[in-house]
Amino acid sequence: MINLNLYNKQHVIKKYQRTIFISDLHLDETRPDIAQRFSELLKNGDSSVDALYILGDLFEVWIGDDDDTPFYRQIIQALKSATEKGLTIYFMHGNRDFLIGQKFLHATGCQLLSDEEKILLYNTPVLLMHGDTLCTLDIAYLKARKKTRNHFLQTLFLLLPITIRKKIANKIRVKSMQHTQLASADIMDVTQAEVARVMQKHDVHYLIHGHTHRPMFHDFSLNHTKAQRIVLGAWHNKGNMLVWEATGKKELIEF
Ligand SMILES: [Mn+2]
């Protein structure tokens, strides 16, 4: 599912000359303020940006598209209203919401991106990722990821009653939080070798990702050429987005 040199035509819309990237909102019913901020972004977005890219972990947890709690319904409705008004929204799975499937996409009008998606952004090739697979020192997590991304296990999981799925998801969440607290800071960050490897594989000099919750522009040299890795911020207390303009101007904005 990796586009090496073929770009999706849908990516090349240039009406407003500005594109927004967000990730790691971790939407959860215990934080209606964050959901509210997201709804406001969606309301304003349709009249000002060419596209909105959500690079994973939109939700704190997602146990299947059939989970019909009012909080989820409200977010789905907000996304649907935005896409119906003409806002193009792309979604990529994160490590929390990788079970988002066709039903959600159909209900919201969001378009699913692959885990490594190369786009042409105002004539600049850019690679988009969630970022979890860049943290190659976190071997325990990558092992667990293999299981959670296994289609057979996912199918089995989705056959379980919602109440049981919720219990399992909570257990995994607690384990994951313990792991994050115990692991050292550099294990939880990306490794430069993997960043370089994946950027070379896709022949790009720009990479945008989330996951680490460390918003920053990282400039470095890749094959003797200037390269940049842009890390999106999480939405713990404020909203966070990257605004990329057609002129080449890029800004990480807290709001
Ligand atoms: Mn993540």
Side-chain angles (χ1 to χ4, degrees):
M1 289 288 284
I2 295 157
N3 304 347
L4 275 175
N5 278 306
L6 295 167
Y7 299 103
N8 188 335
K9 270 205 183 102
Q10 290 154 334
H11 294 300
V12 197
I13 308 162
K14 298 176 180 174
K15 197 171 161 193
Y16 299 106
Q17 307 287 310
R18 189 191 307 151
T19 296
I20 288 181
F21 298 84
I22 58 174
S23 73
D24 303 281
L25 289 77
H26 294 272
L27 296 179
D28 184 79
E29 52 189 338
T30 60
R31 290 294 304 271
D33 54 320
I34 302 176
Q36 180 59 32
R37 197 161 287 146
F38 178 53
S39 292
E40 279 161 23
L41 177 70
L42 290 176
K43 269 185 206 147
N44 302 329
D46 65 299
S47 57
S48 62
V49 297
D50 292 330
L52 170 69
Y53 285 84
I54 305 170
L55 301 188
D57 289 357
L58 173 61
F59 295 101
E60 173 69 6
V61 64
W62 191 263
I63 58 163
D65 292 355
D66 55 341
D67 184 357
D68 196 27
T69 58
F71 177 75
Y72 289 141
R73 244 183 287 151
Q74 181 196 320
I75 303 291
I76 286 169
Q77 188 51 51
L79 286 161
K80 182 176 187 244
S81 303
T83 56
E84 276 178 352
K85 275 198 224 152
L87 179 63
T88 305
I89 306 179
Y90 297 103
F91 172 81
M92 180 182 284
H93 288 134
N95 55 303
R96 302 302 195 109
D97 49 15
F98 55 83
L99 282 176
I100 278 181
Q102 284 307 320
K103 193 179 165 200
F104 174 91
L105 299 169
H106 186 74
T108 57
C110 294
Q111 301 173 54
L112 185 68
L113 302 174
S114 59
D115 287 351
E116 295 175 11
E117 186 83 31
K118 183 180 175 181
I119 64 168
L120 195 59
L121 190 60
Y122 309 115
N123 298 319
T124 302
V126 178
L127 180 64
L128 309 177
M129 298 176 76
H130 176 59
D132 52 334
T133 55
L134 296 169
C135 305
T136 51
L137 293 179
D138 193 355
I139 292 159
Y141 167 72
L142 289 176
K143 258 187 170 170
R145 188 183 191 275
K146 261 196 185 146
K147 280 185 205 157
T148 55
R149 293 300 188 100
N150 178 292
H151 277 288
F152 176 67
L153 292 176
Q154 285 186 357
T155 307
L156 285 184
F157 180 78
L158 291 171
L159 286 171
L160 297 169
I162 285 185
T163 47
I164 297 187
R165 274 185 260 159
K166 275 194 178 147
K167 276 185 194 156
I168 296 172
N170 264 331
K171 268 190 192 164
I172 294 173
R173 249 175 88 194
V174 170
K175 251 184 126 177
S176 155
M177 281 192 293
Q178 286 167 345
H179 174 68
T180 308
Q181 279 161 6
L182 290 173
S184 67
D186 52 314
I187 284 182
M188 303 306 292
D189 204 352
V190 306
T191 48
Q192 185 58 28
E194 180 61 13
V195 167
R197 188 195 67 80
V198 76
M199 288 177 79
Q200 277 169 321
K201 173 177 143 195
H202 291 278
D203 192 22
V204 293
H205 285 86
Y206 288 94
L207 166 63
I208 303 173
H209 71 84
H211 184 67
T212 60
H213 302 187
R214 299 172 196 196
M216 181 87 88
F217 292 95
H218 295 273
D219 295 306
F220 58 99
S221 165
L222 187 67
N223 297 334
H224 310 289
T225 314
K226 270 185 167 174
Q228 192 173 53
R229 174 171 69 92
I230 306 168
V231 188
L232 306 172
W235 286 38
H236 291 317
N237 299 307
K238 287 187 168 177
N240 247 291
M241 63 181 172
L242 167 69
V243 180
W244 182 307
E245 294 183 15
T247 56
K249 188 183 167 201
K250 302 173 221 82
E251 211 177 347
L252 282 164
I253 297 173
E254 256 197 355
F255 60 97

